Amino acid sequence: MGTGRRGFLLGTAGALAAAGTASAAPGGVTWVLTNNVGYEADGPKRAVIACSTPGVHRFELVEHGTGKVVHRGTAKHVGPVADWKANQFPAVPSFYSVADFSGFTRSGEFVLSTDGAVSRPFVVEPLVLERRTLPHVVRFFKDSRSFGEYDRVDRSLPYEPDPSVRVDAHGGWYDAAADWSKHFTQLSRYSFCNTLQLPLTAYVLWAAYDELTRREVADFRHLRELLHDEALYGADYLVRVQMPGGSFYGSVRQPQEDDIGIDPSKRFLRMGPLNYREGCGVAVAALARAARGSVDGEFPRSRYLAAAEAAFSFLQVNNVRLTNDGKENIQDDYNVLLAAVELFKATSKAEYRAEADRRASSLVARLMPRGNFRADDKDRPYFHPSDAGMPVVALLAYSSIAGSEVLAAVRKSLEFELSITGAVPNPFGYARQVVQTAAGERFDGFFFPHDAAGTWWQGENARLASLAAAARLAAARFDAAFAARLRSYAADQLSWIVGCNPFDVCMLEGSGRTAPIYLEYPDGSAVGSWRWIRAAGGIVNGVTGRGADGRGIEWDPGVASSGPNTDWRWLEQWIPHSTWFLYAVAAG
């Protein structure tokens, strides 16, 4: 993410808590926190009642507009959350109860009321997230396309190691609301936290298109057309940035990437050839899937397949030497697995099926007795800031060509995710994880340690959405009872993103009622600038741990608390968040 001159105005959550809102009872001691967008008519429905004192809460579901009570219940006490109570900013309530009204299935607009406190209005209806978030999310990628003078310059960029080499790298998507670079990944120097960025989006656009097609809902037609167009656009960019010999160039960069006024002529192409875990695996998968399409993009489908096969052939020989530490790890396994699966589907060649078999076996062998994956060849736990659901997603993709033989491993992994999430009071169902600090300390926690990827850390909405995608994709493969648990877990992650969190903030622009404010303070100005225009469908980074080890909870701290150049950790829209959210919602 960008790290330049950015400041921050203390945002929505703290101001609401201080001033009181429609969610607060007299005295400001009770809040009713809900999914800001709405709940699936036949799906899980949970709201959280947050208080400064413990108590029993009876709640009523009230029809918005008429005041008619349509459902009553008693909330289940599940708090406090010890980790958050010990270290928090801004202050969060100490006690929580969960109001479950999953049995209510009637469509309409409602509020939930308890002890004089009332939630924000929300809807209940079939396909609520598909209808009310995907139109924004799908268009977000078009809004994030490289454009104008920047895109014109990108048609002939100098390659940083040898400026005499010029590359046509136009197209693709900008990385973030305040970063007009284009990245395959940004954490290449670290072994276990390579974030998948632009090529992941190229792949997920195809995957989401396939999921919506599979579901055969007539109302998805326009969404599918938009996804198909955007997926071809992504494949075209990947062809352009393929290096001679097979692999890919890395990032289109510019000095001070978060300065909107930078001279476009100073942009350049950096890094390459990349390895599998730097995004080449999902790039190959995206190209191979594009080759199976029904129409050509800027390039013919045969060119997509040739690019995919050339990259795979090169990296099968050279991948290890291109890694930062000379070793492959779990990220290589799931990247290669996705690539091999898509290549096999496109060609039916035995060599791709054999490599898919090998990588699937390697992933399964990484399962620890507890059910979590190990990242290395020893026992380092796999935890990831944005792609935590990828091992399961890759194994499920493999099952589409190999049958059910890996489903036992998938179930073991997901049983672990459910278990660790429910092991402590956790009213919002936030996906917990096994983490390891830079010093080697391991523990079960909520948030990513700040030093696990050097100085890079941020909110984890992509991680949550990736786990929601994995759970939703898996649900259809298991018995009804386990599927219901998976769908409930996934709903909790998506609800957190769209408002059901301790700060009552919807982190998806354009669909909720409490989107946060993102301001920059250029050149030390005391007046915040809104020059970074946010796009509907974009999702901000999100909530983090407050302590350096990831313990505690923090959101929207303000420049006075955290200092300059830090606000992006919570409030910058980043393309992997919307990418994973798209996949999770499309999976249904």
Side-chain angles (χ1 to χ4, degrees), residues 499-524:
C500 193
N501 54 64
F503 305 106
D504 192 23
V505 60
C506 179
M507 292 174 273
L508 169 64
E509 186 83 14
S511 295
R513 303 173 188 269
T514 57
I517 299 170
Y518 180 28
L519 297 181
E520 182 193 22
Y521 290 78
D523 302 318

Side-chain angles (χ1 to χ4, degrees), residues 142-414:
K142 192 175 292 291
D143 284 344
S144 299
R145 285 184 178 187
S146 176
F147 66 91
E149 57 184 338
Y150 293 87
D151 201 51
R152 286 191 292 273
V153 166
D154 288 353
R155 291 175 183 270
S156 180
L157 284 181
Y159 178 45
E160 186 181 46
D162 182 0
S164 68
V165 175
R166 311 291 292 198
V167 179
D168 180 359
H170 81 275
W173 303 282
Y174 294 135
D175 186 66
D179 184 352
W180 285 9
S181 301
K182 299 182 290 193
H183 301 294
F184 265 52
T185 186
Q186 287 176 278
L187 298 179
S188 295
R189 64 188 182 277
Y190 302 111
S191 298
F192 302 106
C193 298
N194 300 119
T195 51
L196 299 176
Q197 292 165 235
L198 188 152
L200 175 69
T201 297
Y203 170 75
V204 166
L205 287 165
W206 285 113
Y209 172 83
D210 290 341
E211 286 298 314
L212 293 185
T213 301
R214 173 190 59 78
R215 293 171 64 185
E216 297 183 326
V217 175
D219 289 330
F220 292 165
R221 177 171 180 175
H222 192 195
L223 286 173
R224 291 175 57 244
E225 290 173 343
L226 291 170
L227 284 170
H228 191 271
D229 180 67
E230 207 64 23
L232 284 172
Y233 175 82
D236 289 336
Y237 177 79
L238 294 175
V239 170
R240 289 189 212 103
V241 296
Q242 185 169 33
M243 299 184 74
S247 186
F248 298 90
Y249 294 104
S251 297
V252 175
R253 304 290 296 267
Q254 62 190 44
Q256 194 70 16
E257 281 126 337
D258 59 350
D259 187 347
I260 200 172
I262 196 70
D263 181 355
S265 68
K266 295 182 179 180
R267 288 165 71 85
F268 59 93
L269 198 58
R270 183 169 180 262
M271 297 180 62
L274 300 183
N275 60 55
Y276 277 129
R277 66 182 183 238
E278 290 177 298
C280 292
V282 286
V284 169
L287 287 165
R289 173 58 187 86
R292 292 194 290 115
S294 57
V295 298
D296 296 333
E298 179 180 319
F299 299 99
R301 282 161 285 170
S302 60
R303 180 71 180 277
Y304 299 143
L305 183 58
E309 291 198 281
F312 193 84
S313 177
F314 173 83
L315 288 169
Q316 286 296 94
V317 175
N318 296 285
N319 188 62
V320 173
R321 74 171 180 84
L322 295 176
T323 61
N324 68 302
D325 57 2
K327 299 178 181 179
E328 289 191 337
N329 62 47
I330 189 173
Q331 297 171 118
D332 299 280
D333 280 346
Y334 58 62
N335 269 277
V336 179
L337 180 54
L338 280 176
V341 166
E342 290 297 339
L343 282 169
F344 179 72
K345 288 180 177 180
T347 67
S348 299
K349 291 182 180 179
E351 64 188 274
Y352 300 133
R353 172 59 192 268
E355 184 62 6
D357 292 343
R358 186 173 79 86
R359 293 293 181 161
S361 295
S362 180
L363 264 182
V364 170
R366 291 184 181 278
L367 274 172
M368 306 283 280
R370 190 179 176 193
N372 60 308
F373 287 97
R374 59 178 174 84
D376 60 8
D377 54 2
K378 296 180 182 177
D379 64 350
R380 177 188 171 89
Y382 173 71
F383 61 103
H384 199 281
S386 59
D387 305 318
M390 188 60 96
V392 165
V393 169
L395 287 172
L396 289 170
Y398 174 72
S399 72
S400 69
I401 65 170
S404 61
E405 60 187 75
V406 295
L407 292 186
V410 168
R411 179 161 190 153
K412 183 175 182 179
S413 171
L414 292 173

Side-chain angles (χ1 to χ4, degrees), residues 8 12 140 143-144 176-178 505-510 514-519 530-541 555 567 570-574:
F8 179 72
T12 308
F140 167 77
D143 284 344
S144 299
V505 60
C506 179
M507 292 174 273
L508 169 64
E509 186 83 14
T514 57
I517 299 170
Y518 180 28
L519 297 181
W530 47 269
R531 63 180 181 163
W532 291 111
I533 299 174
R534 292 150 62 99
I539 296 174
V540 300
N541 289 328
W555 163 254
D567 58 300
W570 298 274
L571 289 183
E572 187 175 49
Q573 291 180 341
W574 189 42

